[in-house]
């Protein structure tokens, strides 16, 4: 059980940083809200609370969003990021790539809690 407390504690900090970095984004209210929801579920996970249906909705919505925003070429997108050398957004494709991976991270972090909720 201690592992999960550290796991969710780490992701609370990570999602808080992700939220902070979204303030210069064209649509910060959307992404700060998404990461805030992830933080709330991580806080619940630390306490061992895994609400089945809300977690299901979050995971499915994030996976659908990740597929929707998935870049045409992941390696091309990563290459652009490396070539650029900083975190400013130069193209809409870069932003969509980042958004797809952000949603994928949220879904993957919420997945263990979702699995635990369905086992109870």
């Amino acid at each position: 059980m201690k592992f999960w407390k550290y796991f969710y504690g780490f992701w609370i900090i990570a999602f808080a940083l992700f939220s902070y970095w979204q303030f210069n984004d064209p649509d910060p209210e959307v992404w700060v809200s998404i990461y805030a929801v992830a933080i709330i579920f991580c806080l619940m996970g630390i306490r061992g609370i895994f609400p089945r249906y809300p977690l299901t909705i979050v995971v499915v919505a994030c996976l659908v969003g990740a597929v929707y925003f998935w870049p045409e070429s992941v390696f091309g997108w990563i290459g652009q990021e490396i070539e650029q050398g900083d975190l400013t957004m130069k193209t809409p494709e870069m932003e969509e790539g980042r958004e797809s991976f952000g949603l994928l991270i949220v879904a993957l972090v919420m997945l263990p809690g979702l699995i635990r909720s369905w086992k109870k």
Side-chain angles (χ1 to χ4, degrees):
M1 187 64 177
K2 242 183 185 180
F3 168 78
W4 293 111
K5 288 186 180 190
Y6 292 121
F7 175 80
Y8 289 119
F10 168 81
W11 284 107
I12 288 168
I13 294 166
F15 289 139
L17 287 171
F18 293 172
S19 293
Y20 173 75
W21 290 325
Q22 292 300 316
F23 284 115
N24 67 348
D25 201 65
D27 51 356
E29 56 280 338
V30 172
W31 294 99
V32 171
S33 298
I34 289 170
Y35 293 130
V37 167
I39 289 170
I40 291 167
F41 280 112
C42 285
L43 287 168
M44 293 170 71
I46 286 175
R47 297 188 46 96
I49 301 168
F50 304 102
R52 180 179 301 164
Y53 296 112
L55 271 172
T56 302
I57 291 168
V58 167
V59 170
V60 170
C62 286
L63 288 174
V64 169
V67 169
Y68 178 77
F69 287 116
W70 196 259
E72 288 182 30
S73 168
V74 173
F75 293 114
W77 164 64
I78 292 172
Q80 283 181 332
E81 294 283 356
I82 292 170
E83 185 179 304
Q84 178 177 313
D86 62 18
L87 292 176
T88 59
M89 182 187 72
K90 301 289 187 205
T91 66
E93 292 79 23
M94 291 174 86
E95 182 66 14
E96 288 180 358
R98 292 175 185 175
E99 290 172 349
S100 71
F101 277 83
L103 290 169
L104 185 61
I105 289 169
V106 171
L108 291 176
V109 170
M110 297 298 119
L111 193 59
L114 176 62
I115 292 168
R116 289 179 70 180
S117 76
W118 283 97
K119 285 186 176 181
K120 289 184 178 183

